[in-house]
Amino acid sequence: MAVRSPLINVMVAAAYKAARGLVRDFGEVEQLQVSRKGTADFVSTADLKAEKVLKQELGKARPNFDFLMEESGASAAPAGKDQPTEGRWIVDPLDGTTNFLHGIPHFAISIGVEKDGEIIAGVVYEPVHDELFWAEKGVGAFLNDRRLRVSGRTHLVDSLIATGLPFAGRAGHDVALKQLEAVMKVTSGIRRFGAAALDLAYVAAGRYDGYWENGLNAWDIAAGLLIVKEAGGMVGTIDGKGDPLTTGDVLVSNRDLFGDLGKILRSAA
């Protein structure tokens, strides 16, 4: 059985508490008539409530940690500026907001811990199916209490690859279509499920063999990147330059597929 550190226990407890409200609100969303104004406003409120719970719980447990959160942005540690900062929480209270809005049960809470510029712990919790993906640097990656490993597939033609696609108002449509076409030709399929944190967690669990996406934010991927690494996967950028946490362009897979998948995506773009 996996032994969770005090830091992971803090993250898991906060995620569980915030998830209770999200699940209640998700039940309400399913009953609402889907309208652009009313439902979207409701989801925004659910998002903010979850973030408030997470900030309170994490800040209470680790008062010397700064925050970077999707809704409220960057903020200093609750202990105040006179106390040395020991790390930073990077939090997405509701990854997969559009799924949530449409009553699709595929969304998650994502919590990463950054220390000295490196992610050292991560939790991605999918509450509908009670799936807790977590990892700590040097300890490994787990789904609940089961150890995770990335898939062992060695050929792209046998592989299932996930991605994210730009929507109305977002740039990059032409590049995304070229990349899709190139990957479609050499794999057994592509999936677009709409929650980057879960896409990364699914690669770590071997459900997907790889994943790429352009234009993400740190809170979308901080926890998931570490979970993939600790499951034995490769993590990088699509162009092979820089850190995906800062560039927002992400490519992950097992070690056998990483090089070939990167070449295909770069040539397509």
Side-chain angles (χ1 to χ4, degrees):
M1 182 174 179
V3 178
R4 300 174 189 170
S5 71
L7 179 61
I8 292 292
N9 283 332
V10 164
M11 299 163 73
V12 170
Y16 282 167
K17 187 168 184 178
R20 289 196 290 270
L22 281 181
V23 170
R24 285 195 303 269
D25 289 339
F26 183 68
E28 294 295 323
V29 166
E30 290 183 301
Q31 303 305 316
L32 293 177
Q33 180 180 357
V34 177
S35 64
R36 189 170 185 84
K37 181 179 178 182
T39 315
D41 287 348
F42 184 90
V43 172
S44 177
T45 301
D47 207 330
L48 290 169
K49 285 193 298 185
E51 181 166 295
K52 183 178 180 181
V53 170
L54 290 166
K55 193 167 187 177
Q56 287 176 341
E57 295 301 309
L58 296 172
K60 181 171 59 178
R62 293 291 189 276
N64 293 332
F65 279 41
D66 293 336
F67 283 91
L68 177 62
M69 310 189 84
E70 181 181 17
E71 301 300 333
S72 57
S75 59
K81 61 182 180 180
D82 296 331
Q83 299 291 328
T85 298
E86 297 179 1
R88 181 169 71 153
W89 301 112
I90 303 179
V91 179
D92 190 341
L94 177 53
D95 185 55
T97 304
T98 302
N99 288 343
F100 192 100
L101 167 67
H102 287 270
I104 298 171
H106 190 80
F107 55 89
I109 293 168
S110 176
I111 308 170
V113 178
E114 183 184 46
K115 187 174 183 179
D116 298 327
E118 184 179 18
I119 304 300
I120 62 167
V123 164
V124 173
Y125 181 52
E126 197 274 88
V128 175
H129 300 100
D130 192 29
E131 290 195 322
L132 177 73
F133 301 88
W134 62 276
E136 198 162 9
K137 183 184 175 184
V139 175
F142 301 86
L143 169 53
N144 298 325
D145 292 320
R146 177 173 61 84
R147 184 71 180 260
L148 293 180
R149 296 295 297 177
V150 292
S151 81
R153 291 185 179 87
T154 57
H155 301 291
L156 281 172
V157 71
D158 301 319
S159 301
L160 184 65
I161 308 297
T163 190
L165 297 173
F167 42 86
R170 295 288 295 271
H173 290 238
D174 291 343
V175 169
L177 289 173
K178 291 175 182 177
Q179 291 174 333
L180 272 174
E181 182 180 16
V183 177
M184 285 166 60
K185 289 179 178 179
V186 296
T187 62
S188 67
I190 297 175
R191 298 291 182 267
R192 199 283 194 194
F193 271 62
L198 285 173
D199 286 335
L200 290 164
Y202 281 18
V203 172
R207 296 174 181 176
Y208 299 145
D209 302 295
Y211 162 72
W212 90 92
E213 189 165 354
N214 305 279
L216 293 164
N217 296 294
W219 48 78
D220 299 315
I221 57 177
L225 291 176
L226 180 68
I227 294 170
V228 171
K229 284 182 183 178
E230 289 295 319
M234 296 286 288
V235 171
T237 59
I238 295 168
D239 66 4
K241 303 174 184 177
D243 180 354
L245 195 64
T246 55
T247 66
D249 292 340
V250 178
L251 171 62
V252 303
S253 74
N254 67 30
R255 295 180 181 274
D256 291 307
L257 303 177
F258 188 81
D260 289 341
L261 186 56
K263 287 177 184 177
I264 290 166
L265 291 168
R266 286 190 292 275
S267 64

